[in-house]
Amino acid sequence: MKLSKIKRDARLSAGAWVTNIPGFGDLALKVLPLGGPDAERTRRRGQNALPAIQRVTFVDPVDEAAIETDVLMAVLQDWANLEDDEGSPIPFSPGQAQSLLSDPATDEFRAAVRFAATVVERQGAVDLEAAVKN
């Protein structure tokens, strides 16, 4: 096996645009890899903030959701073609992203960000250009 087949594409450290997210029309998300250093650092920080007993036994679902929100915030860099109900574009901002990622009513958006970040992670080792638009 050639080393180039297993090395991560360096462009992923700056984030990559993902389109064709199932069920999301022309929405495009610029994300970092879900298993990348930013996501892992955020995940560890959230887990380390938990009481020691929870780190070893059972993580409360509320805490788990909060950690995932922080991880998704760490990987989400930008979006395109996201509109409100009147058709006006919603510009990307960290505050707007936090609002969408933490609202239970927008779990579908969380799923889209998770999907996109997973695509970037997986495709980074296989064929980045097939699934990601730079």
Side-chain angles (χ1 to χ4, degrees), residues 15 23 27 115:
L27 177 68
F115 173 86

Side-chain angles (χ1 to χ4, degrees), residues 69-70 72 83 102 108 122 134:
T69 297
D70 290 345
L72 294 176
E83 301 174 344
S102 59
E108 298 275 330
R122 290 182 180 162
N134 282 325

